[in-house]
Amino acid sequence: MEYVLQTKSLKKRYGNYKALSGLTMSVPKGSIYGFVGKNGAGKTTLIRLICGLQEPTEGEFSIYGIGNKEKEIAKSRRRMGAVVETPSIYLGMTAEDNLKEQYRVLGMPSFEGIAHVLKLVGLEHTGKKKAKDFSLGMRQRLGIAIALAGDPDFLILDEPVNGLDPQGIVEVRELILKLNQEYGITVLISSHILDELAKLATYFGFIDSGHMVKEISAPELEAACRKCIRITVSSTKILSQVLDETRLEYTILSEKEAHIFGEISVTELTLKLSEHGCEVHSMQERDESLEHYYIDLVGGGKHA
């Protein structure tokens, strides 16, 4: 598999505070990578490092195979576009003038292509309207347009739907999908709004306290979050024996808890367990969300 971004044991300290604690991750080319973590987990710190806004304390990373200590890393960064924290836009300018300013900063030879970018993000009809009069969703899309000015094939978005109303969220989601599916742009999305990420991402990285807890593909995550029956019994050892006989798929969680997948007859299962001296204390149908998966992964006690 080809990767756009890879980090290895990346650390970042601010005094005694560890923002990143040996983060290792890989962003596959062509993916929409959902970078999942609560506020303060280290998501924005990583983005600042790979954008060159700060230097790591220890560890290394590579963009398109070029290491962060190599001179050529600047060329790799030219293939990136980023919206870090809040969109960098001039509120007193129109959308077109904002893009012209970015083209000048990048040393673009002409303004050809601005009309295409504005149309791509749905701002082609804003005319002389100033950015200060835009909705939050429009400002976010303008920020993405500015990030697209250099025609990047790797886009980094830090909390792109944070604070947006439902309509704004839908607009940004559809834009991200379009950029990925029609233009082949790899997208790294940092977010703590997990249900929205679940509608977008093809790959996930779960970060907690500055280190990577788990990386998983969307199909693998979907399988992990599928519907099941959570059962609490007096002995999962007996439960597993009974379930093996019925050829039902299951996962043992502890000495008393398990997940059972597929259709089951509650009455039949309860009777069989009773015959073997196993009591059923509770059964509950679960359709695990991404949020529940993350909380279970990093430990519900700290994050509830």
Side-chain angles (χ1 to χ4, degrees), residues 138-205:
M138 291 171 69
R139 290 183 192 180
Q140 192 64 265
R141 283 182 282 131
L142 177 56
I144 294 174
I146 292 170
L148 293 172
D151 196 24
D153 42 24
F154 181 30
L155 185 61
I156 299 169
L157 303 175
D158 187 15
E159 301 284 358
V161 299
N162 200 20
L164 300 188
D165 61 21
Q167 180 62 32
I169 290 173
V170 170
E171 290 170 351
V172 171
R173 181 204 310 155
E174 291 178 348
L175 173 58
I176 292 169
L177 287 171
K178 185 174 185 178
L179 292 172
N180 176 256
Q181 295 171 2
E182 296 184 23
Y183 292 84
I185 296 175
T186 303
V187 186
L188 170 64
I189 305 176
S190 156
S191 183
H192 67 281
I193 305 176
L194 306 189
D195 287 343
E196 184 58 30
L197 265 186
K199 299 171 185 174
L200 278 169
T202 60
Y203 211 87
F204 295 86

Side-chain angles (χ1 to χ4, degrees), residues 282-295:
S282 68
M283 280 191 189
Q284 184 180 13
E285 188 174 69
R286 286 174 61 102
D287 185 4
E288 194 168 35
S289 67
L290 178 56
E291 185 173 358
H292 287 142
Y293 180 84
Y294 173 69
I295 291 172

